[in-house]
Structures are given as C-alpha cells and as structure tokens.
Amino acid sequence: MKRGPLIPIIATLGFVFLYAPIISLIVFSFNESKLVTVWGGFSTKWYGELFADPQVLNAGLLSLRVAAVSASIALVLGTLCGVALTRFRRFRGKTLLAGLVSAPLVMPDVITGLSLLLLFVAMESLIGWPAGRSELTIVLAHSTFCMSYVTVVVRSRLADLDLSLEEAAQDLGATPARVFFDITLPIIAPALVSGWLLSFTLSLDDLVIASFVSGPGSSTLPMVIFSKIKLGVSPDVNALASVIIGIVALGVVIATILQLRRPRTARA
Amino acid sequence: MGELVGLVRLGADLVSAMDLPAAAAAPERGPWPLLRRWLVRMGITGRWAVILPPALWLTVFLLIPVLVVFKISFSEAVVARPPYLPLLTFGEDGEVQLTLHLSNYMFLGQDTLYIAAYLNSIKIAFISTILALLVGYPIAYFIARSSDRWRNILLMLIILPFWSSFLLRVYAWIGFLKNNGVINNALQAVGLPQVTMLYTDFGVYVGIVYTYLPFMILPLYTTLVKLDDALLEASADLGARPFRTFLSVTLPLSLPGIIAGSMLVFIPAIGEYVIPTLLGSPSTLMIGRVLWDEFFANRDWPLAASVAIAMLVVVVVPLMLMQNAQNAVVERK
C-alpha cells in the first residue's frame, strides 16, 4: 500500500516530544551556571553536590528499601489473589474480592493516601499499632496498591495458560499445592518477574500516597525531590534525574539483551 | 469484636459437637479433627489458604479505610489530635449519643469552589484524553506498520520513559516551558515574542499528555498491529481513498484500543495532583489538589474526607462499573 509522508512526520515529532525534555534535562545537568536553562560551560559540580547531600542519599536508600519490601509483599498477595480469581470456580465473596482488588487501579492516589492515613490514625488510637507514621506505614500502603497491579499481570498470564498441563499433573495424583509449585509457578515466573518490577517502579515513583502516610523522619526520594522542585528549578535535581535515567536505561538495555538471548538458548 | 464473636461461636460448635455420639466415636482425638470438620461444614477448605491472605489484606487496608473516610466525613473539625470529633459520645450515665454532621456535604454543595473543581477536573481530563489520542494514534499506527525489527525498538522507546521517574519527567517540562526556558529562548532567537506556557492550563495539558502517552499508545498499538492488510487492500481496490479507508476500516477496527487507551489516560488524569501543582496556575482547580490543600494546608480532615467520598461516588464508582462491564464483555469472548 502507498504511504504518505504525513504519518512518519507526525510520529517523528511524537518521539521528539517524548525525548526532548529528558535530553535537555540531562544536558543542563552538566551546566556550570546555576541558571538551569542558560548554558554557562561544562561542569560536573552538581553531581558532586548531589552525592555530598545526606538528605538525598538517605531518602534514596529509604525509597529503595520500601520499594523492595512492598514489591515482595505485593508479589505474594497479588499472586494468591490472581490464582484465586482465575483458578477457583466459585467461592463466597469472589465478586467482592475482584472488585476490591481492582479498586486501586481506578482510585485516585489522593483518596488512597487519605483513607490509609485515617485508618492508621484510627488503628493507633484503638490498638496502638502501627505506632506513628514511619517506613512501616509506607510499606503497608505501597503493598496494597501494588498488589492490584501484580494481580492484573498474574490473572492475564493465568488466563492465557493452557490448563491441560495442570490437569495432567492432577490426574497423576499431585495435590493442588504440588501442582501450583511444580507446574504453575515455573510457567508464570516471567509474569511474576514483571509484576515485581512493575511494583518496584510504582513504589519508587509514588509521591502522593507516601506524602499522606509517612512520618516526620521518613521522607521518600520523590518527597525530597518534590520539595526541592517547589522551591524552583535547581541543577542538582537535574543531576539526580540524570543519574536515575542512566540507571533505568542501563537496566532496560540489560533486560533487553537477556530477553533477546533467552529464546536462542531455549531452542538450542 | 468480630473476631471475638467468631471464637465464641467456634467454642459453642465444639461443645455441641462433643455431645454427639458420632464425634465421640471418632478415632482421632483432640480439637483438630473437630475444627477441621467444622471448617469443612462452613465451606472452608484448603483453598481458603489462598483466598484469605489477599482478602484479609484488602479488607483491612482498602475496604475499612474507605469506611473510615466515610465515617469521618460526618464528623466535625476541631483543633486537636486527631483533628475531628468522634461520632459516638458516651454520656455520664452510660447513654450513647450518635452525632452525624451533614454540614461537610452541605458545604460542598453550597461552595461553588468544589463544584467548579469537580467540573474542571472532568474537563481537563477529557481534553487531555482527546489530545493524547490525537498525538498517540499516528505514533501507534506508525509503529504497527513498521518492519518487525523496528517495531520492538520503537516500542521500547515508548515504554522507556515510563520506567524513569514520573516526577522528574514533569520537572523536565518546567525547564522547557518557563518564560526563560528552552522553548522561549528558541522563540526569541528567531525573533518571535515570548509565550507564557508554564503555570497555565496549557502546561497542565502538556504535562498530562506527556506523562500518560505510553498508556494511550500501547493499547492502540495492540489493536492496530492485528489489522489485516487484506482489508485495507480490498478497500483500496474498491476505489476508496486512503482517508475513506481509514474512516470506514481502520478506525472502527481500532475502537477497542481507542476505548482502552482513553480510559487509561482519563482515569489517572482526573485525580491528578502533581501535574496541576507543578505546571498549572494557582487557579487551575482540580479536585485532587483541592483535597490535598484541605487536608495539608487547612487541616480540615472531615471536609477532606467528604471531598473524597464525593469523588468516589461521582468518579470512581462509574469508572469501576464501566471496567466491570468491559471485563464481562472480554470474558464472554
């Protein structure tokens, strides 16, 4: 079919739209001048300043810890929920469970954050746990909304899965738990990896929910960045952004290489 | 309290079961077989070990919190810790008094600020969705029609920004849209006048479209890539111009992708807090921002709670019903 030049031109502009801000962000992180958008010569001093800032480093470590723990809790709960919703034919409250688990996907962050904070305040005055707002409350909040995403990923993988393998194992006398751990789990492992990574990223990215449920001593990295941005554009935020984008790009490149290599070794 | 009732009932069941001769004749002793039988009788089997952990977690950290918000939305704000009055008060002689304040909801209805914020959120989310569709469709079409080798690279380029920080991507636009930012510097260099783009509604649209563009492109791509070339050729052979083919073949066939992509942009846009705060003007009213300010700046927890409940009823419940209907259609297929 004949193709006009219109669509490639619009698509190219679309990619420019996607990448121009990110590239300019990286370029100006090497700017000597404190004015972010006026070039004043090459310098790496903002990187030096960034790594000397204990607030940023502590917040970064806290965010990584929270993201790793929340993603792991969300992985376990989300997988169980996905299995229950796809593999169990009927049980009491199935519709309610399906509705509850999909609610965080459509619920605005401000509502999730507010409702969890009000819960934690009420729980503290009733049973004294969790005492105050801290890393723990952020983990509880993040696990809750991340498990919804894991459930979606696991559900769609399980729905595509051929049932005959699981049925064969069952016919050979394996208990349901044995079938799950020996057959289902290895097959859906890639979905579990992407569910965990998605949760990790979402937790690392969250500003709104963490702002509601965190305490005085537990500011996450997005919270620190947000308060810096509200004071105005500053070059050390550019440097931080470049570091994060660099890590992400590296991770994606490694993942792509691994993915491209896997099918070949599997076939060999 | 609920747990206690359950335990008491369990205890009563055990006692009555022990009175039965059949139970006494059971070879196994101790409470465990009885407990197991009781569980089976209640329909609780091994698979509840799978269902209960996520169900309990969601009940405690999702269902109950929403009920708590609902409860506090009927309370009255006070300067205290926590800053609201309890609904139940106990009198000196043991009488219980329940006070429900409807004032928060009446305030929402009376003060035009809140209604304006709801309407404005819907308007901004709607326009952003249309803009994202107009930008995303040609990109998705282009990727779907490229060769296999390019397709994966282009898709990766679309997804890549999503993995980097959302906040920093919004921040990148501040440097771009500022009065002395990248775009205005470029405009001035070619002798054009400066345009105010940051801290306007325009900034909010750019921010939302930029942030959620991948969510629009990916579903569009999945429907467009399945499009059969033979249909397009048939349409061309029958004398349709490319634009006509697009309108009567491509567009209708990509409708599921359009709907899915639009939902994925509209839903997060409507409750957005960060983008209007960083790129919009102080007068860009969006409901997420109003809730945030009511909570953090004014410390009016009951009013913030009633804003949240109104938002749930007006926005979230219809969206969930729509999603349910969509899932039902998909599962029937």
Side-chain angles (χ1 to χ4, degrees):
Chain A
M1 223 186 89
K2 213 173 67 181
R3 226 195 287 158
L6 190 65
I7 285 173
I9 289 172
I10 299 176
T12 312
L13 286 177
F15 280 102
V16 171
F17 173 68
L18 273 179
Y19 279 91
I22 296 175
I23 290 165
S24 99
L25 191 77
I26 297 173
V27 169
F28 282 106
S29 73
F30 294 105
N31 191 2
E32 171 73 40
S33 158
K34 181 143 184 69
L35 289 169
V36 172
T37 49
V38 180
W39 187 252
F42 181 84
S43 154
T44 53
K45 69 173 177 186
W46 301 114
Y47 288 87
E49 218 159 273
L50 179 70
F51 288 114
D53 187 348
Q55 196 198 6
V56 169
L57 284 183
N58 286 336
L61 287 175
L62 177 101
S63 280
L64 288 174
R65 266 200 315 272
V66 167
V69 177
S70 314
S72 307
I73 296 175
L75 181 68
V76 174
L77 291 171
T79 308
L80 289 176
C81 194
V83 168
L85 289 177
T86 44
R87 285 295 182 263
F88 297 165
R89 204 146 292 165
R90 262 188 306 155
F91 56 86
R92 236 181 275 174
K94 186 175 180 180
T95 323
L96 180 67
L97 185 64
L100 275 181
V101 79
S102 62
L105 304 174
V106 291
M107 209 141 102
D109 285 351
V110 279
I111 296 186
T112 312
L114 176 75
S115 64
L116 280 163
L117 173 66
L118 295 181
L119 172 85
F120 292 143
V121 169
M123 275 171 79
E124 195 186 0
S125 68
L126 272 178
I127 57 169
W129 184 91
R133 256 71 64 206
S134 61
E135 216 173 310
L136 173 72
T137 47
I138 308 178
V139 166
L140 291 173
H142 281 188
S143 309
T144 307
F145 82 86
C146 287
M147 79 172 271
S148 297
Y149 290 88
V150 176
T151 305
V152 169
V153 174
V154 169
R155 259 180 105 171
S156 64
R157 186 76 189 92
L158 281 175
D160 291 342
L161 197 65
D162 190 2
L163 272 175
S164 57
L165 276 175
E166 287 165 65
E167 280 164 2
Q170 226 154 6
D171 290 346
L172 292 170
T175 60
R178 184 85 194 270
V179 173
F180 178 74
F181 284 107
D182 285 358
I183 309 289
T184 318
L185 208 54
I187 298 178
I188 64 168
L192 299 186
V193 171
S194 53
W196 192 89
L197 281 175
L198 185 63
S199 301
F200 187 81
T201 317
L202 288 168
S203 165
L204 214 54
D205 225 16
D206 167 64
L207 167 74
V208 173
I209 295 172
S211 298
F212 275 97
V213 299
S214 74
S218 55
S219 291
T220 62
L221 190 59
M223 289 168 68
V224 170
I225 296 173
F226 188 63
S227 62
K228 272 177 182 287
I229 295 176
K230 276 207 291 195
L231 295 176
V233 179
S234 68
D236 56 334
V237 176
N238 281 34
L240 179 61
S242 307
V243 171
I244 292 176
I245 291 166
I247 294 171
V248 168
L250 194 71
V252 170
V253 168
I254 291 173
T256 315
I257 292 171
L258 287 178
Q259 219 164 22
L260 287 177
R261 276 174 64 184
R262 194 188 294 140
R264 271 180 221 149
T265 50
R267 254 177 248 140
Chain B
M1 201 55 189
E3 280 171 42
L4 200 63
V5 173
L7 282 177
V8 170
R9 268 184 58 195
L10 177 59
D13 268 72
L14 288 175
V15 171
S16 65
M18 269 185 248
D19 291 338
L20 294 171
E28 285 175 279
R29 296 185 59 163
W32 292 114
L34 292 172
L35 183 65
R36 195 186 304 147
R37 198 171 311 147
W38 180 78
L39 288 172
V40 170
R41 183 143 50 98
M42 298 297 288
I44 298 172
T45 48
R47 58 186 201 166
W48 284 93
V50 176
I51 298 166
L52 277 181
L56 286 178
W57 185 284
L58 288 171
T59 307
V60 173
F61 294 113
L62 193 71
L63 188 62
I64 294 177
V66 172
L67 297 179
V68 171
V69 172
F70 191 64
K71 190 198 102 182
I72 289 172
S73 74
F74 289 109
S75 176
E76 193 180 11
V78 284
V79 183
R81 275 180 73 108
Y84 55 87
L85 287 177
L87 298 185
L88 287 175
T89 43
F90 300 96
E92 273 171 20
D93 42 343
E95 69 189 292
V96 181
Q97 197 187 350
L98 175 72
T99 328
L100 292 181
H101 291 268
L102 294 168
S103 54
N104 298 311
Y105 288 99
M106 277 155 71
F107 190 63
L108 286 191
Q110 280 161 358
D111 197 321
T112 49
L113 173 103
Y114 298 98
I115 296 170
Y118 280 109
L119 292 177
N120 207 40
S121 299
I122 294 172
K123 186 193 103 188
I124 289 183
F126 183 75
I127 296 178
S128 310
T129 307
I130 301 289
L131 290 175
L133 184 62
L134 291 177
V135 178
Y137 204 100
I139 301 178
Y141 191 85
F142 178 72
I143 300 175
R145 305 268 104 191
S146 354
S147 65
D148 283 348
R149 242 186 66 212
W150 274 102
R151 213 180 272 163
N152 287 332
I153 296 172
L154 292 174
L155 274 180
M156 205 186 79
L157 283 175
I158 294 290
I159 302 167
L160 194 58
F162 167 77
W163 293 99
S164 72
S165 165
F166 154 68
L167 194 55
L168 292 172
R169 277 180 292 147
V170 175
Y171 167 76
W173 277 99
I174 299 180
F176 240 61
L177 298 174
K178 272 200 318 182
N179 279 345
N180 57 351
V182 174
I183 294 178
N184 272 318
N185 285 351
L187 285 178
Q188 274 177 324
V190 294
L192 288 168
Q194 205 179 53
V195 187
T196 308
M197 291 174 288
L198 188 61
Y199 309 131
T200 62
D201 280 4
F202 175 76
V204 178
Y205 292 131
V206 171
I208 294 177
V209 171
Y210 183 71
T211 307
Y212 299 113
L213 195 58
F215 296 110
M216 178 62 89
I217 293 178
L218 292 177
L220 281 175
Y221 164 80
T222 27
T223 52
L224 284 171
V225 80
K226 283 186 238 153
L227 195 67
D228 193 349
D229 272 344
L231 289 173
L232 300 181
E233 281 160 20
S235 167
D237 289 346
L238 292 169
R241 289 165 183 277
F243 186 64
R244 180 73 206 276
T245 305
F246 174 75
L247 276 188
S248 43
V249 179
T250 314
L251 201 59
L253 284 175
S254 59
L255 204 59
I258 294 176
I259 293 171
S262 300
M263 297 266 293
L264 288 177
V265 176
F266 186 82
I267 291 168
I270 204 156
E272 192 54 59
Y273 165 74
V274 174
I275 296 171
T277 308
L278 291 181
L279 301 179
S281 78
S283 63
T284 310
L285 280 178
M286 283 190 80
I287 199 64
R289 204 173 164 190
V290 168
L291 194 158
W292 178 288
D293 289 342
E294 216 58 75
F295 185 83
F296 284 103
N298 302 345
R299 278 188 73 75
D300 192 335
W301 290 20
L303 190 61
S306 58
V307 171
I309 292 297
M311 201 163 160
L312 274 178
V313 172
V314 177
V315 180
V316 178
V317 171
L319 286 174
M320 279 187 75
L321 292 178
M322 260 171 81
Q323 216 185 27
N324 253 11
Q326 221 180 6
N327 282 350
V329 170
V330 170
E331 267 162 37
R332 214 173 297 147
K333 280 179 188 170

